[in-house]
Amino acid sequence: MKPDLFKAPDYYLLDDLLTEEHKLIRDTARAWVKKEVSPIIEDFAQRAEFPKQLIPGLAEIGGFGPYIPTEYGGAGLDQISYGLIMQEIERGDSGIRSTSSVQSSLVMYPIWKYGNEEQRKKYLPKLATGEYIGCFGLTEPDYGSNPGGMVTNFKDMGDHYLLNGAKMWISNAPFAQIAVVWAKNEEGRIHGLIVERGMEGFTTPETHNKWSLRASATGELIFDNVKVPKENLLPNKSGLGAPLGCLDSARYGIAWGAIGAAMDCYDTALRYSQERIQFDKPIGATQLQQKKLAEMITEITKAQLLTWRLGVLRNEGRATTAQISMAKRNNVAMALDIARDARQMLGGMGITGEYSIMRHMMNLESVVTYEGTHDIHLLITGMDVTGFPAFK
Ligand SMILES: Cc1cc2nc3c(=O)[nH]c(=O)nc-3n(C[C@H](O)[C@H](O)[C@H](O)COP(=O)(O)OP(=O)(O)OC[C@H]3O[C@@H](n4cnc5c(N)ncnc54)[C@H](O)[C@@H]3O)c2cc1C
């Protein structure tokens, strides 16, 4: 793979909106990605393997629970810092950002927000250092966009719960030590349970042959009469709103992360267009290629403004689920369009692993689908502005 010469575009001088601390956090993450992720990621993606050696470094740059309070081992940062870290990690690879997002927003967040003090103290510090990796089991074979229909269930057996069912498409599943699993009780109410590797009847088969997020491990969670201790139930929130609250936090991070992938594709295509000569001039001197680059930087700049404002609203506790949906939907589609155009700008070279673009493009096909598909987010915006849910 080519050396990482990444230079981040900042067309509207948005760095002026960041504090010195934000810039330090971002630059630290950026330097780590250049040094540790870029040199190895293509190889791991080609082999469809998650690079586990990155786990301690991810913890150090704040990639695990950046906004979780320091008393539980988190970095205690604000939402803009969280977003900037996600942007930089996804600039390297969406699969690595997925591991970070799942750990932070789908495992640490529910334990912090919906767990009790014993659960927080038991799990959060280990998750913050990466000693434990977690996964989040919501999606089922027959319930993806409609998770409320889930059939995974648990029964109260007096001194424990008995868990049965299956989850699929679960990031980190094949090697996670713990899983936050969403299941229905006998009354049909959804609760979160912490399931630990080693519990009898709990298996996590890996999903193979993905063309996307190849450097992220995906698998199933299978529960065959798993005895879950009663103290592993998250006591402080139940109902579908509980997992959806985690998704708000993860989707917000994805909105930032997608900008990272887009910036990497734009920067690569820009440099290539200045160097690649055809018909005796750089291809960047042609109107058609300039149109692509001009549209890319315009869309990146709009997405940067959208996420920065959303970050301010989240810091103030005012961001709505629908606002987060809009940013996730817009930014991922923007990044996918940019990746496709950038891929074309590199001609034949664009399909090789010499450059990061094709890997980003394939990764983004998952990102546009998971955590609510592109169309489902449109329906969320539609419901928000009209007042009519159009899901059913
Ligand atoms: C690589 C990867 C990692 C993932 N990681 C996780 C994870 O860690 N944890 C987890 O729980 N899940 C995870 N997922 C699952 C992901 O969230 C789901 O794939 C996603 O929610 C879509 O569900 P589905 O695949 O069942 O598609 P479906 O829900 O079957 O949707 C199929 C199509 O129908 C459309 N559609 C559905 N309903 C409507 C409607 N009412 N109106 C119009 N169109 C509709 C959708 O937009 C989509 O285009 C992951 C997925 C992938 C691919």
Side-chain angles (χ1 to χ4, degrees):
M1 196 178 159
K2 294 267 179 204
D4 185 351
L5 303 172
F6 177 67
K7 282 220 302 256
D10 182 13
Y11 204 72
Y12 262 39
L13 311 182
L14 297 175
D15 262 20
D16 292 358
L17 299 173
L18 304 178
T19 64
E20 289 308 310
E21 190 189 36
H22 289 146
K23 284 185 257 188
L24 182 67
I25 289 162
R26 188 225 18 225
D27 294 347
T28 304
R30 186 169 293 167
W32 179 79
V33 168
K34 257 194 187 187
K35 183 159 174 275
E36 304 293 340
V37 180
S38 301
I40 58 131
I41 192 63
E42 181 63 28
D43 188 35
F44 277 81
Q46 292 278 2
R47 285 193 277 127
E49 190 182 330
F50 173 71
K52 286 192 183 149
Q53 72 270 28
L54 296 180
I55 288 174
L58 272 171
E60 266 172 43
I61 61 161
F64 297 148
Y67 51 81
I68 300 288
T70 50
E71 61 180 303
Y72 302 118
L77 300 172
D78 76 344
Q79 290 291 310
I80 292 191
S81 304
Y82 162 42
L84 288 165
I85 294 169
M86 295 300 114
Q87 171 187 288
E88 295 306 316
I89 298 175
E90 192 146 3
R91 208 279 296 173
D93 189 79
S94 304
I96 310 302
R97 199 270 307 135
S98 299
T99 290
S100 179
S101 287
V102 168
Q103 181 91 336
S104 301
S105 290
L106 302 181
V107 179
M108 296 177 78
Y109 179 90
I111 294 174
W112 173 44
K113 285 283 179 186
Y114 315 146
N116 58 32
E117 199 54 21
E118 291 80 66
Q119 292 167 338
R120 290 185 198 119
K121 288 202 169 115
K122 179 172 176 191
Y123 296 107
L124 292 177
K126 288 190 170 130
L127 290 160
T129 59
E131 183 183 339
Y132 275 7
I133 291 293
C135 65
F136 173 89
L138 180 65
T139 305
E140 299 189 357
D142 292 331
Y143 297 94
S145 298
N146 176 24
M150 69 174 67
V151 291
T152 297
N153 64 87
F154 63 98
K155 289 195 171 70
D156 190 335
M157 306 302 282
D159 62 342
H160 65 269
Y161 297 120
L162 200 62
L163 179 65
N164 278 290
K167 302 286 177 178
M168 77 180 294
W169 294 119
I170 307 305
S171 304
N172 298 350
F175 56 84
Q177 279 85 7
I178 64 165
V180 170
V181 177
W182 300 95
K184 284 181 178 165
N185 67 10
E186 285 144 290
E187 287 78 50
R189 181 116 186 126
I190 294 171
H191 287 268
L193 297 156
I194 303 170
V195 180
E196 299 190 21
R197 185 171 295 285
M199 287 180 176
E200 214 181 314
F202 174 43
T203 48
T204 60
E206 183 157 1
T207 304
H208 295 290
N209 299 332
K210 291 180 299 165
W211 284 112
S212 174
L213 289 191
R214 288 173 63 80
S216 159
T218 313
E220 295 168 55
L221 305 177
I222 298 180
F223 314 104
D224 180 11
N225 285 321
V226 180
K227 284 185 182 174
V228 181
K230 285 204 150 169
E231 65 262 25
N232 283 26
L233 182 112
L234 298 175
N236 295 334
K237 192 163 168 105
S238 62
L240 189 59
L244 295 186
C246 307
L247 292 175
D248 271 359
S249 177
R251 289 165 178 171
Y252 165 74
I254 292 172
W256 281 90
I259 297 176
M263 290 199 304
D264 198 48
C265 293
Y266 164 78
D267 180 59
T268 304
L270 174 62
R271 195 169 310 108
Y272 193 84
S273 78
Q274 290 162 336
E275 290 166 2
R276 176 70 177 165
I277 310 288
Q278 286 297 294
F279 300 98
D280 305 321
K281 65 179 185 182
I283 59 168
T286 66
Q287 287 186 350
L288 282 175
Q289 305 314 316
Q290 286 187 9
K291 176 175 186 287
K292 290 192 180 76
L293 290 164
E295 284 176 352
M296 285 181 202
I297 191 61
T298 306
E299 291 306 316
I300 288 171
T301 304
K302 283 153 66 178
Q304 285 171 325
L305 279 161
L306 194 67
T307 34
W308 177 81
R309 176 65 185 151
L310 190 60
V312 171
L313 291 175
R314 272 183 72 82
N315 277 341
E316 295 170 354
R318 293 199 292 150
T320 65
T321 295
Q323 287 168 339
I324 295 166
S325 273
M326 181 185 279
K328 191 268 184 185
R329 179 175 186 273
N330 180 77
N331 292 9
V332 178
M334 169 284 294
L336 194 48
D337 286 346
I338 287 179
R340 287 171 179 156
D341 274 349
R343 216 287 310 143
Q344 286 197 54
M345 286 185 65
L346 266 69
M349 288 311 292
I351 70 152
T352 73
E354 282 289 295
Y355 295 89
S356 55
I357 295 175
M358 187 89 176
R359 178 168 44 79
H360 282 306
M361 190 179 108
M362 294 194 301
N363 282 341
L364 289 162
E365 292 289 347
S366 284
V367 182
V368 81
T369 291
Y370 71 18
E371 306 257 2
T373 68
H374 188 67
D375 285 343
I376 290 295
H377 285 298
L378 178 129
L379 294 179
I380 292 173
T381 307
M383 177 174 71
D384 196 48
V385 297
T386 65
F388 303 122
F391 300 96
K392 283 193 179 173

